[in-house]
PDB file of all heavy atoms in Angstrom:
ATOM      1  N   VAL A  81       0.856  -1.172   0.000  1.00 98.00           N
ATOM      2  CA  VAL A  81       0.000   0.000   0.000  1.00 98.00           C
ATOM      3  C   VAL A  81       0.898   1.230   0.000  1.00 98.00           C
ATOM      4  O   VAL A  81       1.963   1.230   0.628  1.00 98.00           O
ATOM      5  CB  VAL A  81      -0.964  -0.003   1.202  1.00 98.00           C
ATOM      6  CG1 VAL A  81      -0.223   0.034   2.526  1.00 98.00           C
ATOM      7  CG2 VAL A  81      -1.958   1.148   1.107  1.00 98.00           C
ATOM      8  N   PHE A  82       0.472   2.252  -0.723  1.00 98.00           N
ATOM      9  CA  PHE A  82       1.269   3.460  -0.901  1.00 98.00           C
ATOM     10  C   PHE A  82       0.523   4.674  -0.364  1.00 98.00           C
ATOM     11  O   PHE A  82      -0.706   4.704  -0.342  1.00 98.00           O
ATOM     12  CB  PHE A  82       1.566   3.684  -2.388  1.00 98.00           C
ATOM     13  CG  PHE A  82       2.211   2.518  -3.077  1.00 98.00           C
ATOM     14  CD1 PHE A  82       1.444   1.612  -3.786  1.00 98.00           C
ATOM     15  CD2 PHE A  82       3.579   2.340  -3.020  1.00 98.00           C
ATOM     16  CE1 PHE A  82       2.028   0.528  -4.433  1.00 98.00           C
ATOM     17  CE2 PHE A  82       4.176   1.264  -3.663  1.00 98.00           C
ATOM     18  CZ  PHE A  82       3.400   0.353  -4.363  1.00 98.00           C
ATOM     19  N   LEU A  83       1.286   5.687   0.024  1.00 98.00           N
ATOM     20  CA  LEU A  83       0.712   6.975   0.347  1.00 98.00           C
ATOM     21  C   LEU A  83       1.575   8.033  -0.316  1.00 98.00           C
ATOM     22  O   LEU A  83       2.716   8.252   0.079  1.00 98.00           O
ATOM     23  CB  LEU A  83       0.654   7.216   1.859  1.00 98.00           C
ATOM     24  CG  LEU A  83      -0.069   8.496   2.273  1.00 98.00           C
ATOM     25  CD1 LEU A  83      -1.573   8.402   1.940  1.00 98.00           C
ATOM     26  CD2 LEU A  83       0.119   8.778   3.765  1.00 98.00           C
ATOM     27  N   GLN A  84       1.017   8.649  -1.344  1.00 98.00           N
ATOM     28  CA  GLN A  84       1.698   9.751  -2.014  1.00 98.00           C
ATOM     29  C   GLN A  84       1.271  11.040  -1.344  1.00 98.00           C
ATOM     30  O   GLN A  84       0.079  11.360  -1.284  1.00 98.00           O
ATOM     31  CB  GLN A  84       1.321   9.773  -3.490  1.00 98.00           C
ATOM     32  CG  GLN A  84       1.774   8.539  -4.260  1.00 98.00           C
ATOM     33  CD  GLN A  84       1.235   8.545  -5.682  1.00 98.00           C
ATOM     34  OE1 GLN A  84       0.090   8.175  -5.939  1.00 98.00           O
ATOM     35  NE2 GLN A  84       2.062   8.960  -6.619  1.00 98.00           N
ATOM     36  N   MET A  85       2.241  11.794  -0.844  1.00 98.00           N
ATOM     37  CA  MET A  85       1.969  13.015  -0.100  1.00 98.00           C
ATOM     38  C   MET A  85       2.591  14.185  -0.856  1.00 98.00           C
ATOM     39  O   MET A  85       3.804  14.183  -1.099  1.00 98.00           O
ATOM     40  CB  MET A  85       2.548  12.919   1.310  1.00 98.00           C
ATOM     41  CG  MET A  85       2.057  11.694   2.076  1.00 98.00           C
ATOM     42  SD  MET A  85       2.639  11.665   3.782  1.00 98.00           S
ATOM     43  CE  MET A  85       4.385  11.418   3.496  1.00 98.00           C
ATOM     44  N   SER A  86       1.776  15.145  -1.208  1.00 98.00           N
ATOM     45  CA  SER A  86       2.281  16.314  -1.913  1.00 98.00           C
ATOM     46  C   SER A  86       1.893  17.578  -1.169  1.00 98.00           C
ATOM     47  O   SER A  86       1.028  17.558  -0.288  1.00 98.00           O
ATOM     48  CB  SER A  86       1.746  16.350  -3.345  1.00 98.00           C
ATOM     49  OG  SER A  86       0.331  16.457  -3.341  1.00 98.00           O
ATOM     50  N   ASN A  87       2.548  18.678  -1.534  1.00 98.00           N
ATOM     51  CA  ASN A  87       2.297  19.971  -0.880  1.00 98.00           C
ATOM     52  C   ASN A  87       2.280  19.818   0.646  1.00 98.00           C
ATOM     53  O   ASN A  87       1.360  20.269   1.327  1.00 98.00           O
ATOM     54  CB  ASN A  87       0.976  20.565  -1.366  1.00 98.00           C
ATOM     55  CG  ASN A  87       0.778  21.995  -0.914  1.00 98.00           C
ATOM     56  OD1 ASN A  87       1.742  22.692  -0.601  1.00 98.00           O
ATOM     57  ND2 ASN A  87      -0.464  22.433  -0.882  1.00 98.00           N
ATOM     58  N   LEU A  88       3.308  19.180   1.156  1.00 98.00           N
ATOM     59  CA  LEU A  88       3.369  18.884   2.583  1.00 98.00           C
ATOM     60  C   LEU A  88       3.444  20.146   3.423  1.00 98.00           C
ATOM     61  O   LEU A  88       4.049  21.153   3.028  1.00 98.00           O
ATOM     62  CB  LEU A  88       4.557  17.968   2.865  1.00 98.00           C
ATOM     63  CG  LEU A  88       4.301  16.497   2.500  1.00 98.00           C
ATOM     64  CD1 LEU A  88       5.611  15.742   2.336  1.00 98.00           C
ATOM     65  CD2 LEU A  88       3.426  15.837   3.556  1.00 98.00           C
ATOM     66  N   LYS A  89       2.823  20.062   4.599  1.00 98.00           N
ATOM     67  CA  LYS A  89       2.757  21.176   5.534  1.00 98.00           C
ATOM     68  C   LYS A  89       3.386  20.753   6.862  1.00 98.00           C
ATOM     69  O   LYS A  89       3.418  19.554   7.179  1.00 98.00           O
ATOM     70  CB  LYS A  89       1.293  21.573   5.756  1.00 98.00           C
ATOM     71  CG  LYS A  89       0.553  21.938   4.479  1.00 98.00           C
ATOM     72  CD  LYS A  89      -0.906  22.241   4.766  1.00 98.00           C
ATOM     73  CE  LYS A  89      -1.653  22.605   3.488  1.00 98.00           C
ATOM     74  NZ  LYS A  89      -3.088  22.915   3.750  1.00 98.00           N
ATOM     75  N   PRO A  90       3.827  21.708   7.660  1.00 97.00           N
ATOM     76  CA  PRO A  90       4.412  21.345   8.960  1.00 97.00           C
ATOM     77  C   PRO A  90       3.465  20.503   9.824  1.00 97.00           C
ATOM     78  O   PRO A  90       3.931  19.625  10.565  1.00 97.00           O
ATOM     79  CB  PRO A  90       4.690  22.706   9.599  1.00 97.00           C
ATOM     80  CG  PRO A  90       4.945  23.602   8.426  1.00 97.00           C
ATOM     81  CD  PRO A  90       3.993  23.137   7.360  1.00 97.00           C
ATOM     82  N   GLU A  91       2.177  20.736   9.713  1.00 97.00           N
ATOM     83  CA  GLU A  91       1.233  19.958  10.522  1.00 97.00           C
ATOM     84  C   GLU A  91       1.097  18.510  10.062  1.00 97.00           C
ATOM     85  O   GLU A  91       0.444  17.709  10.735  1.00 97.00           O
ATOM     86  CB  GLU A  91      -0.147  20.631  10.531  1.00 97.00           C
ATOM     87  CG  GLU A  91      -0.722  20.933   9.171  1.00 97.00           C
ATOM     88  CD  GLU A  91      -0.485  22.383   8.757  1.00 97.00           C
ATOM     89  OE1 GLU A  91       0.629  22.904   9.006  1.00 97.00           O
ATOM     90  OE2 GLU A  91      -1.418  22.975   8.171  1.00 97.00           O
ATOM     91  N   ASP A  92       1.692  18.160   8.941  1.00 98.00           N
ATOM     92  CA  ASP A  92       1.721  16.766   8.504  1.00 98.00           C
ATOM     93  C   ASP A  92       2.814  15.960   9.213  1.00 98.00           C
ATOM     94  O   ASP A  92       2.891  14.742   9.069  1.00 98.00           O
ATOM     95  CB  ASP A  92       1.963  16.680   6.992  1.00 98.00           C
ATOM     96  CG  ASP A  92       0.846  17.294   6.179  1.00 98.00           C
ATOM     97  OD1 ASP A  92      -0.329  17.135   6.550  1.00 98.00           O
ATOM     98  OD2 ASP A  92       1.158  17.958   5.155  1.00 98.00           O
ATOM     99  N   THR A  93       3.648  16.657   9.964  1.00 98.00           N
ATOM    100  CA  THR A  93       4.742  16.003  10.677  1.00 98.00           C
ATOM    101  C   THR A  93       4.224  14.957  11.657  1.00 98.00           C
ATOM    102  O   THR A  93       3.235  15.191  12.350  1.00 98.00           O
ATOM    103  CB  THR A  93       5.585  17.048  11.420  1.00 98.00           C
ATOM    104  OG1 THR A  93       6.227  17.892  10.458  1.00 98.00           O
ATOM    105  CG2 THR A  93       6.637  16.387  12.303  1.00 98.00           C
ATOM    106  N   GLY A  94       4.908  13.817  11.715  1.00 98.00           N
ATOM    107  CA  GLY A  94       4.549  12.779  12.655  1.00 98.00           C
ATOM    108  C   GLY A  94       5.053  11.428  12.211  1.00 98.00           C
ATOM    109  O   GLY A  94       5.653  11.306  11.131  1.00 98.00           O
ATOM    110  N   VAL A  95       4.814  10.437  13.026  1.00 98.00           N
ATOM    111  CA  VAL A  95       5.128   9.064  12.663  1.00 98.00           C
ATOM    112  C   VAL A  95       3.905   8.479  11.968  1.00 98.00           C
ATOM    113  O   VAL A  95       2.794   8.522  12.503  1.00 98.00           O
ATOM    114  CB  VAL A  95       5.496   8.219  13.894  1.00 98.00           C
ATOM    115  CG1 VAL A  95       5.790   6.784  13.483  1.00 98.00           C
ATOM    116  CG2 VAL A  95       6.697   8.822  14.612  1.00 98.00           C
ATOM    117  N   TYR A  96       4.135   7.947  10.789  1.00 98.00           N
ATOM    118  CA  TYR A  96       3.055   7.371   9.987  1.00 98.00           C
ATOM    119  C   TYR A  96       3.103   5.845  10.106  1.00 98.00           C
ATOM    120  O   TYR A  96       4.160   5.231   9.893  1.00 98.00           O
ATOM    121  CB  TYR A  96       3.194   7.797   8.531  1.00 98.00           C
ATOM    122  CG  TYR A  96       2.744   9.213   8.296  1.00 98.00           C
ATOM    123  CD1 TYR A  96       3.482  10.286   8.798  1.00 98.00           C
ATOM    124  CD2 TYR A  96       1.568   9.492   7.597  1.00 98.00           C
ATOM    125  CE1 TYR A  96       3.053  11.590   8.610  1.00 98.00           C
ATOM    126  CE2 TYR A  96       1.145  10.791   7.400  1.00 98.00           C
ATOM    127  CZ  TYR A  96       1.891  11.838   7.907  1.00 98.00           C
ATOM    128  OH  TYR A  96       1.466  13.129   7.718  1.00 98.00           O
ATOM    129  N   TYR A  97       1.958   5.286  10.430  1.00 98.00           N
ATOM    130  CA  TYR A  97       1.845   3.854  10.649  1.00 98.00           C
ATOM    131  C   TYR A  97       0.930   3.227   9.604  1.00 98.00           C
ATOM    132  O   TYR A  97      -0.158   3.761   9.326  1.00 98.00           O
ATOM    133  CB  TYR A  97       1.270   3.562  12.026  1.00 98.00           C
ATOM    134  CG  TYR A  97       2.104   4.041  13.184  1.00 98.00           C
ATOM    135  CD1 TYR A  97       1.901   5.289  13.743  1.00 98.00           C
ATOM    136  CD2 TYR A  97       3.103   3.224  13.723  1.00 98.00           C
ATOM    137  CE1 TYR A  97       2.661   5.732  14.811  1.00 98.00           C
ATOM    138  CE2 TYR A  97       3.861   3.654  14.795  1.00 98.00           C
ATOM    139  CZ  TYR A  97       3.642   4.914  15.335  1.00 98.00           C
ATOM    140  OH  TYR A  97       4.401   5.339  16.394  1.00 98.00           O
ATOM    141  N   CYS A  98       1.345   2.127   9.107  1.00 97.00           N
ATOM    142  CA  CYS A  98       0.530   1.310   8.215  1.00 97.00           C
ATOM    143  C   CYS A  98      -0.335   0.381   9.071  1.00 97.00           C
ATOM    144  O   CYS A  98       0.132  -0.161  10.076  1.00 97.00           O
ATOM    145  CB  CYS A  98       1.472   0.509   7.314  1.00 97.00           C
ATOM    146  SG  CYS A  98       0.679  -0.647   6.200  1.00 97.00           S
ATOM    147  N   ASN A  99      -1.589   0.213   8.668  1.00 97.00           N
ATOM    148  CA  ASN A  99      -2.512  -0.638   9.417  1.00 97.00           C
ATOM    149  C   ASN A  99      -3.229  -1.599   8.474  1.00 97.00           C
ATOM    150  O   ASN A  99      -3.676  -1.185   7.399  1.00 97.00           O
ATOM    151  CB  ASN A  99      -3.535   0.215  10.160  1.00 97.00           C
ATOM    152  CG  ASN A  99      -4.531  -0.623  10.933  1.00 97.00           C
ATOM    153  OD1 ASN A  99      -5.646  -0.865  10.481  1.00 97.00           O
ATOM    154  ND2 ASN A  99      -4.131  -1.066  12.114  1.00 97.00           N
ATOM    155  N   LEU A 100      -3.359  -2.829   8.901  1.00 97.00           N
ATOM    156  CA  LEU A 100      -4.004  -3.860   8.075  1.00 97.00           C
ATOM    157  C   LEU A 100      -5.257  -4.386   8.751  1.00 97.00           C
ATOM    158  O   LEU A 100      -5.262  -4.626   9.968  1.00 97.00           O
ATOM    159  CB  LEU A 100      -3.021  -5.008   7.838  1.00 97.00           C
ATOM    160  CG  LEU A 100      -3.537  -6.183   6.986  1.00 97.00           C
ATOM    161  CD1 LEU A 100      -2.420  -6.715   6.098  1.00 97.00           C
ATOM    162  CD2 LEU A 100      -4.090  -7.311   7.861  1.00 97.00           C
ATOM    163  N   GLY A 101      -6.273  -4.539   7.948  1.00 92.00           N
ATOM    164  CA  GLY A 101      -7.462  -5.224   8.429  1.00 92.00           C
ATOM    165  C   GLY A 101      -8.563  -4.332   8.953  1.00 92.00           C
ATOM    166  O   GLY A 101      -9.595  -4.843   9.407  1.00 92.00           O
ATOM    167  N   GLY A 102      -8.344  -3.029   8.934  1.00 91.00           N
ATOM    168  CA  GLY A 102      -9.348  -2.129   9.487  1.00 91.00           C
ATOM    169  C   GLY A 102     -10.317  -1.585   8.447  1.00 91.00           C
ATOM    170  O   GLY A 102     -10.284  -1.948   7.275  1.00 91.00           O
ATOM    171  N   THR A 103     -11.141  -0.688   8.917  1.00 89.00           N
ATOM    172  CA  THR A 103     -12.085   0.016   8.065  1.00 89.00           C
ATOM    173  C   THR A 103     -11.780   1.507   8.145  1.00 89.00           C
ATOM    174  O   THR A 103     -10.854   1.924   8.841  1.00 89.00           O
ATOM    175  CB  THR A 103     -13.526  -0.236   8.532  1.00 89.00           C
ATOM    176  OG1 THR A 103     -13.673   0.323   9.850  1.00 89.00           O
ATOM    177  CG2 THR A 103     -13.844  -1.716   8.590  1.00 89.00           C
ATOM    178  N   SER A 104     -12.577   2.305   7.468  1.00 86.00           N
ATOM    179  CA  SER A 104     -12.347   3.749   7.502  1.00 86.00           C
ATOM    180  C   SER A 104     -12.713   4.349   8.861  1.00 86.00           C
ATOM    181  O   SER A 104     -12.374   5.496   9.142  1.00 86.00           O
ATOM    182  CB  SER A 104     -13.136   4.436   6.394  1.00 86.00           C
ATOM    183  OG  SER A 104     -14.518   4.173   6.538  1.00 86.00           O
ATOM    184  N   TRP A 105     -13.388   3.598   9.723  1.00 87.00           N
ATOM    185  CA  TRP A 105     -13.779   4.133  11.030  1.00 87.00           C
ATOM    186  C   TRP A 105     -13.150   3.385  12.192  1.00 87.00           C
ATOM    187  O   TRP A 105     -13.270   3.826  13.330  1.00 87.00           O
ATOM    188  CB  TRP A 105     -15.302   4.121  11.183  1.00 87.00           C
ATOM    189  CG  TRP A 105     -15.925   2.771  11.074  1.00 87.00           C
ATOM    190  CD1 TRP A 105     -16.154   1.879  12.080  1.00 87.00           C
ATOM    191  CD2 TRP A 105     -16.404   2.134   9.885  1.00 87.00           C
ATOM    192  NE1 TRP A 105     -16.737   0.733  11.593  1.00 87.00           N
ATOM    193  CE2 TRP A 105     -16.900   0.860  10.250  1.00 87.00           C
ATOM    194  CE3 TRP A 105     -16.458   2.504   8.543  1.00 87.00           C
ATOM    195  CZ2 TRP A 105     -17.447  -0.024   9.328  1.00 87.00           C
ATOM    196  CZ3 TRP A 105     -16.993   1.628   7.624  1.00 87.00           C
ATOM    197  CH2 TRP A 105     -17.484   0.378   8.014  1.00 87.00           C
ATOM    198  N   ALA A 106     -12.477   2.299  11.955  1.00 90.00           N
ATOM    199  CA  ALA A 106     -11.859   1.526  13.035  1.00 90.00           C
ATOM    200  C   ALA A 106     -10.608   0.834  12.510  1.00 90.00           C
ATOM    201  O   ALA A 106     -10.655   0.161  11.483  1.00 90.00           O
ATOM    202  CB  ALA A 106     -12.837   0.499  13.591  1.00 90.00           C
ATOM    203  N   ALA A 107      -9.519   1.010  13.246  1.00 90.00           N
ATOM    204  CA  ALA A 107      -8.266   0.387  12.832  1.00 90.00           C
ATOM    205  C   ALA A 107      -8.320  -1.120  13.018  1.00 90.00           C
ATOM    206  O   ALA A 107      -9.037  -1.637  13.871  1.00 90.00           O
ATOM    207  CB  ALA A 107      -7.110   0.963  13.636  1.00 90.00           C
ATOM    208  N   GLY A 108      -7.500  -1.797  12.205  1.00 90.00           N
ATOM    209  CA  GLY A 108      -7.373  -3.232  12.326  1.00 90.00           C
ATOM    210  C   GLY A 108      -6.364  -3.624  13.397  1.00 90.00           C
ATOM    211  O   GLY A 108      -5.774  -2.775  14.075  1.00 90.00           O
ATOM    212  N   ARG A 109      -6.137  -4.873  13.490  1.00 94.00           N
ATOM    213  CA  ARG A 109      -5.314  -5.421  14.556  1.00 94.00           C
ATOM    214  C   ARG A 109      -3.816  -5.225  14.341  1.00 94.00           C
ATOM    215  O   ARG A 109      -3.043  -5.123  15.290  1.00 94.00           O
ATOM    216  CB  ARG A 109      -5.617  -6.919  14.679  1.00 94.00           C
ATOM    217  CG  ARG A 109      -4.783  -7.684  15.668  1.00 94.00           C
ATOM    218  CD  ARG A 109      -5.173  -9.151  15.676  1.00 94.00           C
ATOM    219  NE  ARG A 109      -4.343  -9.938  16.570  1.00 94.00           N
ATOM    220  CZ  ARG A 109      -4.432 -11.244  16.700  1.00 94.00           C
ATOM    221  NH1 ARG A 109      -5.322 -11.929  15.993  1.00 94.00           N
ATOM    222  NH2 ARG A 109      -3.644 -11.895  17.527  1.00 94.00           N
ATOM    223  N   TYR A 110      -3.386  -5.138  13.091  1.00 96.00           N
ATOM    224  CA  TYR A 110      -1.963  -5.205  12.791  1.00 96.00           C
ATOM    225  C   TYR A 110      -1.404  -3.843  12.387  1.00 96.00           C
ATOM    226  O   TYR A 110      -2.001  -3.126  11.573  1.00 96.00           O
ATOM    227  CB  TYR A 110      -1.714  -6.217  11.677  1.00 96.00           C
ATOM    228  CG  TYR A 110      -2.151  -7.613  12.044  1.00 96.00           C
ATOM    229  CD1 TYR A 110      -3.348  -8.138  11.570  1.00 96.00           C
ATOM    230  CD2 TYR A 110      -1.374  -8.391  12.904  1.00 96.00           C
ATOM    231  CE1 TYR A 110      -3.766  -9.408  11.924  1.00 96.00           C
ATOM    232  CE2 TYR A 110      -1.781  -9.669  13.256  1.00 96.00           C
ATOM    233  CZ  TYR A 110      -2.982 -10.172  12.763  1.00 96.00           C
ATOM    234  OH  TYR A 110      -3.383 -11.426  13.119  1.00 96.00           O
ATOM    235  N   TRP A 111      -0.224  -3.541  12.951  1.00 97.00           N
ATOM    236  CA  TRP A 111       0.444  -2.264  12.714  1.00 97.00           C
ATOM    237  C   TRP A 111       1.879  -2.480  12.272  1.00 97.00           C
ATOM    238  O   TRP A 111       2.536  -3.425  12.711  1.00 97.00           O
ATOM    239  CB  TRP A 111       0.472  -1.433  13.993  1.00 97.00           C
ATOM    240  CG  TRP A 111      -0.866  -1.026  14.497  1.00 97.00           C
ATOM    241  CD1 TRP A 111      -1.639  -1.682  15.417  1.00 97.00           C
ATOM    242  CD2 TRP A 111      -1.600   0.148  14.117  1.00 97.00           C
ATOM    243  NE1 TRP A 111      -2.804  -0.985  15.622  1.00 97.00           N
ATOM    244  CE2 TRP A 111      -2.812   0.129  14.850  1.00 97.00           C
ATOM    245  CE3 TRP A 111      -1.352   1.195  13.233  1.00 97.00           C
ATOM    246  CZ2 TRP A 111      -3.770   1.139  14.724  1.00 97.00           C
ATOM    247  CZ3 TRP A 111      -2.302   2.197  13.112  1.00 97.00           C
ATOM    248  CH2 TRP A 111      -3.492   2.161  13.852  1.00 97.00           C
ATOM    249  N   GLY A 112       2.355  -1.560  11.451  1.00 97.00           N
ATOM    250  CA  GLY A 112       3.775  -1.511  11.160  1.00 97.00           C
ATOM    251  C   GLY A 112       4.511  -0.784  12.259  1.00 97.00           C
ATOM    252  O   GLY A 112       3.914  -0.308  13.227  1.00 97.00           O
ATOM    253  N   GLN A 113       5.828  -0.666  12.081  1.00 96.00           N
ATOM    254  CA  GLN A 113       6.661  -0.040  13.113  1.00 96.00           C
ATOM    255  C   GLN A 113       6.646   1.476  13.029  1.00 96.00           C
ATOM    256  O   GLN A 113       7.075   2.149  13.972  1.00 96.00           O
ATOM    257  CB  GLN A 113       8.103  -0.559  12.994  1.00 96.00           C
ATOM    258  CG  GLN A 113       8.954   0.132  11.946  1.00 96.00           C
ATOM    259  CD  GLN A 113       8.626  -0.292  10.521  1.00 96.00           C
ATOM    260  OE1 GLN A 113       7.798  -1.181  10.294  1.00 96.00           O
ATOM    261  NE2 GLN A 113       9.267   0.346   9.551  1.00 96.00           N
ATOM    262  N   GLY A 114       6.165   2.008  11.928  1.00 96.00           N
ATOM    263  CA  GLY A 114       6.081   3.451  11.755  1.00 96.00           C
ATOM    264  C   GLY A 114       7.270   4.020  11.011  1.00 96.00           C
ATOM    265  O   GLY A 114       8.386   3.487  11.086  1.00 96.00           O
ATOM    266  N   THR A 115       7.026   5.115  10.304  1.00 97.00           N
ATOM    267  CA  THR A 115       8.086   5.830   9.621  1.00 97.00           C
ATOM    268  C   THR A 115       7.894   7.327   9.867  1.00 97.00           C
ATOM    269  O   THR A 115       6.786   7.841   9.788  1.00 97.00           O
ATOM    270  CB  THR A 115       8.109   5.504   8.110  1.00 97.00           C
ATOM    271  OG1 THR A 115       9.235   6.120   7.486  1.00 97.00           O
ATOM    272  CG2 THR A 115       6.838   5.949   7.400  1.00 97.00           C
ATOM    273  N   GLN A 116       8.990   8.008  10.197  1.00 98.00           N
ATOM    274  CA  GLN A 116       8.921   9.420  10.585  1.00 98.00           C
ATOM    275  C   GLN A 116       8.848  10.309   9.360  1.00 98.00           C
ATOM    276  O   GLN A 116       9.668  10.185   8.437  1.00 98.00           O
ATOM    277  CB  GLN A 116      10.136   9.798  11.428  1.00 98.00           C
ATOM    278  CG  GLN A 116      10.209  11.264  11.806  1.00 98.00           C
ATOM    279  CD  GLN A 116       9.157  11.661  12.837  1.00 98.00           C
ATOM    280  OE1 GLN A 116       8.934  10.950  13.811  1.00 98.00           O
ATOM    281  NE2 GLN A 116       8.511  12.802  12.617  1.00 98.00           N
ATOM    282  N   VAL A 117       7.906  11.230   9.381  1.00 98.00           N
ATOM    283  CA  VAL A 117       7.809  12.284   8.373  1.00 98.00           C
ATOM    284  C   VAL A 117       7.935  13.619   9.100  1.00 98.00           C
ATOM    285  O   VAL A 117       7.194  13.896  10.036  1.00 98.00           O
ATOM    286  CB  VAL A 117       6.469  12.213   7.615  1.00 98.00           C
ATOM    287  CG1 VAL A 117       6.293  13.439   6.720  1.00 98.00           C
ATOM    288  CG2 VAL A 117       6.386  10.932   6.797  1.00 98.00           C
ATOM    289  N   THR A 118       8.906  14.413   8.668  1.00 98.00           N
ATOM    290  CA  THR A 118       9.119  15.727   9.259  1.00 98.00           C
ATOM    291  C   THR A 118       9.080  16.773   8.159  1.00 98.00           C
ATOM    292  O   THR A 118       9.825  16.672   7.177  1.00 98.00           O
ATOM    293  CB  THR A 118      10.459  15.796   9.995  1.00 98.00           C
ATOM    294  OG1 THR A 118      10.502  14.779  11.002  1.00 98.00           O
ATOM    295  CG2 THR A 118      10.645  17.154  10.652  1.00 98.00           C
ATOM    296  N   VAL A 119       8.205  17.759   8.341  1.00 98.00           N
ATOM    297  CA  VAL A 119       8.073  18.846   7.382  1.00 98.00           C
ATOM    298  C   VAL A 119       8.480  20.126   8.094  1.00 98.00           C
ATOM    299  O   VAL A 119       7.811  20.580   9.018  1.00 98.00           O
ATOM    300  CB  VAL A 119       6.643  18.969   6.843  1.00 98.00           C
ATOM    301  CG1 VAL A 119       6.579  20.044   5.747  1.00 98.00           C
ATOM    302  CG2 VAL A 119       6.160  17.627   6.312  1.00 98.00           C
ATOM    303  N   SER A 120       9.583  20.682   7.675  1.00 97.00           N
ATOM    304  CA  SER A 120      10.125  21.843   8.371  1.00 97.00           C
ATOM    305  C   SER A 120      10.938  22.698   7.415  1.00 97.00           C
ATOM    306  O   SER A 120      11.620  22.183   6.532  1.00 97.00           O
ATOM    307  CB  SER A 120      11.017  21.394   9.538  1.00 97.00           C
ATOM    308  OG  SER A 120      11.625  22.510  10.163  1.00 97.00           O
ATOM    309  N   SER A 121      10.866  24.007   7.639  1.00 94.00           N
ATOM    310  CA  SER A 121      11.667  24.911   6.833  1.00 94.00           C
ATOM    311  C   SER A 121      13.020  25.156   7.495  1.00 94.00           C
ATOM    312  O   SER A 121      13.871  25.836   6.934  1.00 94.00           O
ATOM    313  CB  SER A 121      10.933  26.238   6.628  1.00 94.00           C
ATOM    314  OG  SER A 121      10.562  26.790   7.862  1.00 94.00           O
TER     315      SER A 121
END
């Protein structure tokens, strides 16, 4: 699964986690370890 992020803003900063098995309103059971995204000037 991919996430293309454009026109990034400082408020997009954070650790992004992949989740498997969930719905748009409830996360599934399985998580990745996370990847850091930092948007800063």
Side-chain angles (χ1 to χ4, degrees):
V81 62
F82 305 96
L83 186 67
Q84 296 174 279
M85 305 185 292
S86 62
N87 190 22
L88 282 160
K89 303 177 180 180
E91 53 262 41
D92 296 321
T93 294
V95 179
Y96 283 70
Y97 298 92
C98 176
N99 179 261
L100 180 143
T103 64
S104 59
W105 60 89
R109 176 181 177 184
Y110 299 102
W111 296 93
Q113 82 284 356
T115 185
Q116 176 71 44
V117 171
T118 302
V119 185
S120 176
S121 54

